[in-house]
Amino acid sequence: MSQTVDRALSILPLLAEGPADLGQVADRIGVHKSTALRLLRTLHEHGLVYRQSDQRYRLGARLIALAQEAMENLDIREIAHPHLVRLNEQCGHTVHLAVLEDDEVLYIDKVESRYPVRMYSRIGKPVAITVAAVAKLLLADLPETERRVRAEKLEYPLYTARSTPNALAFLRELDKVRDQGWATDLGGHEESINCVAAPIRGADGRVTAAMSVSAPNVVVTADELLTLLPLVRRTADAVSGEYSGRTPVPAPDRNTSDRNASDRNTSDQNPPDRNAPDRKAPDRNSPDRDTE
C-alpha cells in the first residue's frame, strides 16, 4: 500500500510542471500504463488531478484549493516565535517579526532585549516604513511597478540626518536590498538605534515576513551589530523552511557561541562599513525608547 501511495504522490510534481499524457506519467513513475491509469483515476476521483479533453492530465482544482487553505491557516508568528526566542538568547538584543498589511508594515512579534535600555516598540504598531530594515525587505520584494507607486505615495520624514530623503533614494535602497537579500537601518529612525534584518519566504519564494535584531549604540556599535547578520539570516532561513514546508533548516542551537564568533570574523557577506555613529548615551526623553 505504501508503494501505491508513493507512486500516486509522485505523479503530482510531474503534473505541476504542466499537463502530461498517460504514457508520460507511466514513464516518469516507472510503471505500466495500466497501473498509471488506475492511479490517475483514483486521484481524479478525489479532485487532485483533472483529465482534459485532449486526454492529458493536469492538477485538479481540489488540490489547489487545499494548498491555498493550508497556506491561509499557517500562522507565521506561531512558527517563527521559537526561532526568535532562540536568536534572542544567543545575541541578547531585541528581535522583531514584521509583515506587510495594506499600506503599513506592522510588528507582529517581539522578544525583548536582556539589556536595561530597551526599544519602545509594540506588537501591532506600524514601523517607520521609509527607514525600517524590515519594511525595506517587504517592499523590495514587490513587483517593480508596485514598488514605484508605493514609493511615490509615501512621505519622507527626516527623523535623523540618515533618514531616506525622497522616493528616488528609497527606490535605490530597495533595489540594493532586493539584490543583496538583507537590510539595515543604521541610525535612520533614531541616531542611537541600529538594526539588521533578513527575509522570511513562503513556498513560492516571495517574502512573507521579515525579522530583525536591533540594539542601541550604548550596548553594541553598528559595526558589531552587522557581525550578527549571518546568524540572523540563518535563523530567517530556518523559519522559511518550516513555514514553506520544505525540509526545515536547523535553527542555530544554544551552544554555538564559538562558531558564531568565527562567523562574525569571516562573514561571506562582508557588509560595508556604514560609518557607524559614535557610542553615546541614549536620549532618555525620546518618545521612542523605554528604559528600565
Side-chain angles (χ1 to χ4, degrees), residues 105-144:
V105 174
L106 306 174
Y107 290 130
I108 61 171
D109 201 2
K110 177 184 180 182
V111 183
E112 288 281 8
S113 168
R114 72 165 69 110
Y115 298 100
V117 179
R118 298 184 177 183
M119 293 184 60
Y120 183 72
S121 56
R122 296 191 305 271
I123 294 174
K125 178 182 177 182
V127 309
I129 197 167
T130 60
V131 292
V134 288
K136 294 173 187 177
L137 284 164
L138 290 161
L139 295 180
D141 192 61
L142 297 174
E144 182 178 1

Side-chain angles (χ1 to χ4, degrees), residues 8-268:
L9 293 177
S10 297
I11 295 173
L12 300 180
L14 167 63
L15 299 185
E17 299 172 6
D21 61 29
L22 180 60
Q24 291 173 313
V25 172
D27 289 344
R28 172 66 71 91
I29 64 176
V31 299
H32 193 272
K33 285 186 178 181
S34 61
T35 300
L37 182 59
R38 287 197 300 272
L39 296 172
L40 285 165
R41 283 176 174 171
T42 299
L43 292 171
H44 183 270
E45 289 172 1
H46 289 275
L48 302 182
V49 305
Y50 177 79
R51 188 174 69 176
Q52 302 177 159
S53 58
D54 61 2
Q55 305 306 308
R56 293 190 302 165
Y57 294 84
R58 60 172 172 79
L59 293 180
R62 175 60 176 159
L63 179 63
I64 297 171
L66 287 172
Q68 182 63 34
E69 183 177 358
M71 289 301 298
E72 290 174 354
N73 289 330
L74 281 178
D75 185 344
I76 185 62
R77 181 181 181 277
E78 180 179 353
I79 292 171
H81 186 74
H83 298 271
L84 304 186
V85 170
R86 193 174 299 115
L87 177 60
N88 170 266
E89 290 172 348
Q90 290 182 278
C91 70
H93 306 306
T94 301
V95 181
H96 286 112
L97 179 69
V99 296
L100 177 64
E101 291 194 2
D102 298 325
D103 294 328
E104 295 181 322
V105 174
L106 306 174
Y107 290 130
I108 61 171
D109 201 2
K110 177 184 180 182
V111 183
E112 288 281 8
S113 168
R114 72 165 69 110
Y115 298 100
V117 179
R118 298 184 177 183
M119 293 184 60
Y120 183 72
S121 56
R122 296 191 305 271
I123 294 174
K125 178 182 177 182
V127 309
I129 197 167
T130 60
V131 292
V134 288
K136 294 173 187 177
L137 284 164
L138 290 161
L139 295 180
D141 192 61
L142 297 174
E144 182 178 1
T145 301
E146 186 174 354
R147 291 202 307 272
R148 186 170 299 279
V149 169
R150 284 179 180 259
E152 291 173 351
K153 288 182 178 179
L154 291 173
E155 296 181 359
Y156 293 86
L158 294 179
Y159 303 104
T160 75
R162 299 185 180 188
S163 298
T164 309
N166 52 53
L168 181 60
F170 191 50
L171 288 169
R172 284 199 299 262
E173 178 71 7
L174 294 184
D175 286 340
K176 178 181 178 181
V177 167
R178 188 181 180 93
D179 289 341
Q180 68 189 15
W182 49 272
T184 63
D185 170 14
L186 303 181
H189 187 214
E190 298 180 63
E191 287 283 0
S192 60
I193 297 290
N194 300 302
C195 174
V196 294
I200 296 170
R201 300 181 183 275
D204 59 359
R206 299 293 303 276
V207 175
T208 302
M211 57 176 294
S212 65
V213 170
S214 304
N217 286 331
V218 293
V219 175
V220 62
T221 67
D223 286 338
E224 290 168 340
L225 188 66
L226 283 166
T227 66
L228 294 177
L229 183 59
L231 178 60
V232 176
R233 297 187 74 182
R234 285 200 302 272
T235 304
D237 286 344
V239 179
S240 298
E242 189 172 341
Y243 180 70
S244 66
R246 302 191 307 266
T247 301
V249 179
D253 59 42
R254 302 182 185 183
N255 300 313
T256 56
S257 56
D258 290 340
R259 183 164 70 250
N260 292 341
S262 174
D263 287 342
R264 293 168 191 174
N265 293 329
T266 60
S267 169
D268 59 358

